[in-house]
Amino acid sequence: MDKKTLLMIGSGEKSPDVLYATGFSSPDDIVCFVSGSRRAMLASPLEFDRARGDVTPGVEVLPDDEYGRDLMTRLLEIARRHAPNGFTVPRDFPVYWADRLREAGIEVTTVERPFPKREFKTMREIRMISNAELATQSAMMRARD
C-alpha cells in the first residue's frame, strides 16, 4: 500500500497536531503537510520570517504564494508536488476542503491519530509539565495569601 501525505489545515493555537507537526503557533490557520520524513508548512509573506525562526528544526517553511493565490489552488498544488497517492487528514480536517479535493479527483482518507507518539511524553516534557504545575501552585498560594 502506498503511503499518503498527511495534510492539515489549522492554527497552532487551536490544533495540537498542527503545533506538534510544525512547532509554529499562530491564531491564523496554516496549511502543513507531512510526507515521509519531510514536514513542511506554507506561510504568508507577513508570517514567513517569523515562521522560519519559530518552527521545529527540520520543518520547511514554504512561501504560500508560490503554491497559488487561493487555498484550493494551494491544496491542489501540494497534491501535485508532494502527494501522488492522495492525502490522509486528521478527523478535524475541514469537510468543505476534503469534499473539494475529492471532487478534483484526489483521494482523501481520515486518520484517527496522525501522531500517536504525541500522546507519550518525553522526560523533558514531563519535567516541563511538573515545573508548570509547581509554578501554578505557587501563584495560587500567593494569590490566596
Side-chain angles (χ1 to χ4, degrees):
M1 182 174 164
D2 293 320
K3 186 124 172 101
K4 293 182 179 148
T5 297
L6 173 65
L7 176 68
M8 295 179 287
I9 299 174
S11 74
E13 290 184 2
K14 296 176 189 154
S15 171
D17 289 325
V18 168
L19 184 60
Y20 181 84
T22 65
F24 185 68
S25 184
S26 168
D28 298 323
D29 285 351
I30 61 166
V31 176
C32 61
F33 63 91
V34 179
S35 183
S37 62
R38 182 180 192 191
R39 292 181 186 219
M41 65 170 274
L42 303 185
S44 71
L46 292 174
E47 290 281 25
F48 191 81
D49 288 334
R50 183 173 80 85
R52 285 185 29 196
D54 289 357
V55 295
T56 301
V59 173
E60 292 178 71
V61 179
L62 307 169
D64 66 0
D65 56 357
E66 288 184 14
Y67 282 74
R69 291 189 169 269
D70 59 75
L71 184 55
M72 187 63 195
T73 304
R74 290 176 183 149
L75 297 177
L76 292 172
E77 189 62 16
I78 291 170
R80 186 185 73 74
R81 293 186 195 185
H82 310 289
N85 302 312
F87 292 117
T88 57
V89 297
R91 63 185 179 176
D92 62 351
F93 190 85
V95 173
Y96 177 84
W97 295 114
D99 287 347
R100 298 298 75 76
L101 288 167
R102 288 184 187 113
E103 287 170 4
I106 297 165
E107 187 174 335
V108 178
T109 56
T110 305
V111 63
E112 178 71 23
R113 295 172 15 228
F115 301 106
K117 287 173 44 177
R118 188 173 65 81
E119 297 175 23
F120 302 96
K121 303 303 177 210
T122 65
M123 289 307 297
R124 180 178 178 271
E125 290 169 326
I126 291 170
R127 280 193 305 276
M128 291 172 69
I129 291 167
S130 292
N131 289 343
E133 287 177 346
L134 290 172
T136 301
Q137 288 174 355
S138 175
M140 291 304 292
M141 289 170 64
R142 184 172 282 224
R144 180 196 66 203
D145 292 343

